[in-house]
Amino acid sequence: MISERCAACKNQRRKCPSDCIFSPCFPANDPQKFACVHKIYGGSNVGKMLQGIPTYLREQAANALYLEAKWRIHDPVYGCVGIISSLYEQIQNAEIELAKIQTQITFYKLQTQRIEAEPNSEVLQAQSSNMEQFEWDNPTIASWFN
Amino acid sequence: MISERCAACKNQRRKCPSDCIFSPCFPANDPQKFACVHKIYGGSNVGKMLQGIPTYLREQAANALYLEAKWRIHDPVYGCVGIISSLYEQIQNAEIELAKIQTQITFYKLQTQRIEAEPNSEVLQAQSSNMEQFEWDNPTIASWFN
């Protein structure tokens, strides 16, 4: 039986043994996957990393290494650390936005309670116009109210 | 003048040339930084990557490689891809939460407008109790209202 060599063994121009550690993770029909990790980590480092991982998790590890290698090729300075920074920034901005919305909800809740308690109060008219100003200052929040 | 070898040259037990590419990125007082990237990428791959990057960006690239290597050592299966997945999940959950809050703000806005237009309406009492149920179903949102 002539078995097809995996992408790693093809790349390294060697025979692909039956117990090849690369074979389940780097199929012959996806040479780009091994080429990427080889460029960033080197073939022997990838082999060493896979050997330290339980067999059933090796394919997932190879996929993660492939993603990291692709990101590093795409952004040679920051690699996937650049993506992580950008996601942290998104989360921080969302937290700031959420804090503003919490203030806004508290305002509406108080306003509703007060209107229910004392309808037609002049204080509420003043609060209402203050809140419109608050919404106006925040374009994202303002868009929800229009 | 006897100059101190950088962490990379110390690790590789070689002389540190005056134009050493590792020297500005891997100072002698932080041997762990080079040890980490060496373990994951191999010293010569790190050197190749740094050579492909403009000099003024090499330190930032080395810091990013160090972070990626640390994450890979900490999580040999997913490395920093695991962190990225978890951040994406956080963002998705925040988007779901935000969508619910938008609904809630719209409700409060309508409620306030209606109370102002027709105080003491029975419809509003019913809506108020529906909203309490909505808040109760979402522990995070519920906590803001208590």
Side-chain angles (χ1 to χ4, degrees), chain B residues 23-82:
Chain B
S23 180
C25 309
F26 298 101
N29 63 1
D30 190 1
Q32 182 64 13
K33 188 177 176 184
F34 183 77
C36 268
V37 298
H38 180 259
K39 183 178 167 77
I40 298 300
Y41 301 98
S44 70
N45 282 321
V46 174
K48 274 186 223 156
M49 287 192 267
L50 291 178
Q51 247 159 354
I53 291 169
T55 314
Y56 73 98
L57 287 171
R58 283 180 189 162
E59 200 177 336
Q60 293 182 56
N63 292 342
L65 286 168
Y66 176 42
L67 279 176
E68 285 177 38
K70 275 208 296 188
W71 282 322
R72 169 104 355 234
I73 291 165
H74 175 75
D75 178 354
V77 179
Y78 297 106
C80 61
V81 172

Side-chain angles (χ1 to χ4, degrees), chain A residues 41 45 53 60-61 65 68 71-72 76-78 80 84 90-91 101-102 105 109 111-112 115 144-145, chain B residues 41-42 45 53 60-61 65 68 71-72 76-78 80 84 91 101-102 105 109 111-112 115 144-145:
Chain A
Y41 301 96
N45 281 323
I53 292 168
Q60 292 181 56
L65 286 168
E68 285 177 37
W71 282 322
R72 168 100 1 229
V77 179
Y78 299 105
C80 62
I84 291 172
Q90 270 185 54
I91 289 173
I101 294 167
Q102 285 176 29
I105 290 178
K109 202 193 172 192
Q111 196 182 34
T112 308
I115 292 173
W144 301 352
F145 286 83
Chain B
Y41 301 98
N45 282 321
I53 291 169
Q60 293 182 56
L65 286 168
E68 285 177 38
W71 282 322
R72 169 104 355 234
V77 179
Y78 297 106
C80 61
I84 291 173
I91 290 173
I101 295 167
Q102 284 176 28
I105 290 177
K109 200 192 173 192
Q111 197 184 34
T112 307
I115 292 174
W144 300 351
F145 285 84

Side-chain angles (χ1 to χ4, degrees), chain A residues 53-68:
Chain A
I53 292 168
T55 314
Y56 73 99
L57 287 171
R58 284 180 189 164
E59 201 178 335
Q60 292 181 56
N63 292 342
L65 286 168
Y66 176 41
L67 279 176
E68 285 177 37

